[in-house]
Amino acid sequence: MARIVMKFGGTSMAGIERIRVVAARVKREWDMGNDVAVVVSAMAGETDRLVNFCREASSLYDPKEYDVVVSAGEQITSGLLAIALQAIGVPARSWMGWQLPIRTSDGHASARIGDIDTTALNKSLANREVAVIPGFQGVAVGERVSTLGRGGSDTSAVAMAAAMKADRCDIYTDVDGVYTTDPRIVPRARKLKRVTYEEMLELASVGAKVLQTRSVGLAMKEGVRVQVLSSFVDADDTNPEPGTLIVGEEEIDDMERQLITGIAHDKNEAKITLADVPDRPGAVASIFTPLADASINVDMIVQNIAHSSGSTDVTFTVPQAELARALDVLDKERANIGYSKLVHDTRVAKISIVGVGMRSHAGVAATMFATLGERGINILAITTSEIKVSVLIEEDYTELAVRVLHTAYGLDAPDAAD
C-alpha cells in the first residue's frame, strides 16, 4: 500500500464531466488500497473571472479580501469532486485550508506555506477516506484565508506530499510529461522518463510551463518524488509509463543521462540599455540597487567595454510585466545614475539549454553559439549557471533557434515524423 497525493489542474476540473473522469482516476488508486489525498485547482478560467471581479469592485482592493474571493474557485471544485467520488462508492470529504490547517505567511496573494498539520488528515486516511483539498490556499495570521499566487496549487500538492510523507506526488496537467522542448515547435521532441530536480527547476525558471518553479524547489528541498502526467491519457499496454518522474540525480541511470536534457524559450523578456553610464566604481550599483528595492527581478546583464570618454553602456533584461515599473524607477534615478539615453525592446526572446551533463563536458556553450551563428542568429546577451546556458536573441528567430539547437544536441526522436 502506498500513500499518494494526486493534483489536478484547471483543465482537468473544467466541468462536471471532467470531474467525473478525475473521480474515476482517484477511485482506481483507492481500489488498489492506496491512501489518497487529492489537491485540486479551480475550473479553467474561474480564477481569472474572480480576479476580474475584484478589479471591477476596486482598483485598490484589500489583498485579504482578494484572497477570500479568489480562493472560492478551489473550494467549489473540492466539494464537487468529493460529491462525485461519493456517487461512485468512494468515501471522501473535502478539507478547506483552514480546517487542516495549512499555515502560511502573511503575504496575502503571494503567501508561502510554513507548516501543515496532518493529524486530522491522517485519521481520515486511516479510515480509508479520500481527502480532497483545495490547492492555492491556506490560513495566515489572524485566521484569514491566504493564497499562494498563480500556479500555487502545484506548490500545495508538493507541500502536502511532504507533510504526509507520501511515496509520490502525481501532478495531472494537459500535457503527458516533460519533453526535450515544446513539441508544438519541434515535432521530434522526446518525452523524458526522468528529470532531476535541478534540471526541472532550471527549465521551469527559463520558460518551461509544465510545473511552477516554487513547487519544484520545494520538491527538491523535501525529497518529494513528483510525477507529471496527463489527465487525458491513460496508461495501457502500449503506453505503460505515461508520465515523467522528477527525482534526485542519484535515481537517474547513467544510460539515461543526456548531455543536454531540454531546451526552453521565453518571450516574456524585455531588454533595457542605458547609454553613456559613467565608468566609475559604484555606477552599476546605482542602476541595480533601486531596481532591487522595487522588487524588480533582473536577469541577463551585459556591460560593454568602456568608451574613450570614460563612459560605458549597460544592457540587462527584466520580465515584460515589470518593464513599465523598471522604466519609471530608472527615470527617477537618472540624475544619480548619469546615463544619457535609455532604450528598451520587447521584441526579444530568451533561449536556454539545460542539462546536468554540462558539469562534466566541455564545449557545450561553444556548440550553442556556433549553431546559432551558422544560422545568422545574433546573440544579444548571455547568462550561465552550472547546468544552464541562456542567450537573448531577436524574437523573430525563436522557433528557428529552438529547432536547430534541438538537432545540434542530438535530442530529436529518431522515429518521429518530420
Side-chain angles (χ1 to χ4, degrees):
M1 183 181 73
R3 178 165 282 199
I4 297 172
V5 172
M6 304 173 74
K7 183 265 175 179
F8 293 91
T11 54
S12 305
M13 306 297 291
I16 297 300
E17 287 307 313
R18 290 302 311 162
I19 290 173
R20 288 196 180 109
V21 172
V22 167
R25 282 185 178 274
V26 174
K27 186 177 187 299
R28 284 201 292 271
E29 292 289 349
W30 182 81
D31 284 342
M32 288 188 284
N34 296 325
D35 290 342
V36 182
V38 186
V39 175
V40 296
S41 297
M43 294 184 187
E46 181 66 9
T47 301
D48 288 336
R49 188 176 74 93
L50 296 172
V51 169
N52 287 333
F53 281 153
C54 292
R55 290 172 177 165
E56 288 176 18
S58 172
S59 59
L60 297 173
Y61 51 73
D62 181 349
K64 295 182 177 65
E65 302 304 338
Y66 167 92
D67 279 355
V68 172
V69 175
V70 299
S71 62
E74 283 74 14
Q75 178 171 324
I76 291 167
T77 49
S78 296
L80 289 173
L81 180 57
I83 291 171
L85 284 165
Q86 292 167 5
I88 56 175
V90 179
R93 69 152 290 182
S94 60
W95 295 85
M96 298 301 99
W98 58 269
Q99 290 175 313
L100 291 172
I102 300 171
R103 297 286 178 187
T104 75
S105 65
D106 202 28
H108 286 273
S110 59
R112 291 186 173 271
I113 295 175
D115 179 65
I116 301 176
D117 187 341
T118 60
T119 304
L121 184 63
N122 286 332
K123 289 180 182 178
S124 176
L125 294 173
N127 291 327
R128 292 286 291 145
E129 194 172 63
V130 171
V132 185
I133 302 161
F136 177 61
Q137 68 169 249
V139 58
V141 176
E143 304 304 300
R144 297 298 303 263
V145 172
S146 57
T147 64
L148 310 182
R150 300 308 295 263
S153 292
D154 285 353
T155 302
S156 297
V158 172
M160 188 60 61
M164 291 170 50
K165 296 180 170 53
D167 297 280
R168 195 177 70 242
C169 178
D170 290 344
I171 295 185
Y172 289 84
T173 70
D174 53 0
V175 296
D176 62 345
V178 180
Y179 280 74
T180 49
T181 196
D182 188 339
R184 293 170 298 182
I185 294 178
V186 182
R188 290 185 178 187
R190 291 184 291 109
K191 185 171 66 178
L192 300 163
K193 292 182 179 179
R194 294 173 185 246
V195 178
T196 69
Y197 294 123
E198 288 180 277
E199 290 170 328
M200 194 66 240
L201 191 60
E202 290 283 18
L203 286 167
S205 70
V206 294
K209 297 176 175 60
V210 178
L211 291 174
Q212 188 207 42
T213 305
R214 279 170 60 187
S215 70
V216 182
L218 181 59
M220 181 166 65
K221 175 177 175 288
E222 299 293 339
V224 176
R225 300 173 85 245
V226 176
Q227 185 170 212
V228 179
L229 302 138
S230 171
S231 56
F232 302 93
V233 177
D234 277 325
D236 54 34
D237 292 339
T238 60
N239 192 27
E241 295 182 87
T244 299
L245 271 172
I246 317 298
V247 294
E249 193 171 341
E250 68 280 358
E251 289 197 49
I252 305 292
D253 187 274
D254 286 340
M255 293 290 288
E256 296 179 294
R257 198 178 301 277
Q258 296 280 337
L259 175 62
I260 296 299
T261 297
I263 300 171
H265 69 282
D266 187 0
K267 295 183 179 181
N268 297 312
E269 296 276 320
K271 179 169 69 82
I272 298 174
T273 298
L274 301 181
D276 299 322
V277 175
D279 185 26
R280 55 175 171 75
V284 174
S286 69
I287 298 170
F288 297 111
T289 298
L291 292 171
D293 291 342
S295 299
I296 296 171
N297 183 48
V298 174
D299 187 7
M300 300 176 167
I301 302 173
V302 176
Q303 181 172 340
N304 295 335
I305 298 173
H307 306 312
S308 58
S309 60
S311 64
T312 186
D313 298 338
V314 178
T315 297
F316 55 93
T317 62
V318 298
Q320 279 194 24
E322 300 288 351
L323 177 60
R325 287 205 306 129
L327 295 177
D328 181 61
V329 169
L330 294 168
D331 182 62
K332 291 176 180 176
E333 294 290 329
R334 181 169 186 167
N336 185 40
I337 299 170
Y339 64 87
S340 66
K341 184 171 65 172
L342 184 156
V343 179
H344 67 274
D345 186 359
T346 58
R347 296 166 300 173
V348 295
K350 179 167 65 177
I351 309 296
S352 305
I353 56 172
V354 175
V356 292
M358 290 187 198
R359 290 180 180 146
S360 55
H361 289 80
V364 175
T367 298
M368 183 184 202
F369 304 153
T371 301
L372 295 177
E374 288 167 3
R375 292 304 185 105
I377 301 172
N378 189 36
I379 295 173
L380 308 174
I382 303 168
T383 187
T384 66
S385 73
E386 189 179 22
I387 64 168
K388 177 197 74 181
V389 180
S390 296
V391 297
L392 193 72
I393 65 172
E394 293 178 28
E395 184 182 39
D396 290 346
Y397 291 101
T398 302
E399 294 190 4
L400 175 61
V402 171
R403 286 196 296 268
V404 297
L405 289 172
H406 198 267
T407 299
Y409 288 109
L411 297 176
D412 292 348
D415 57 343
D418 289 333

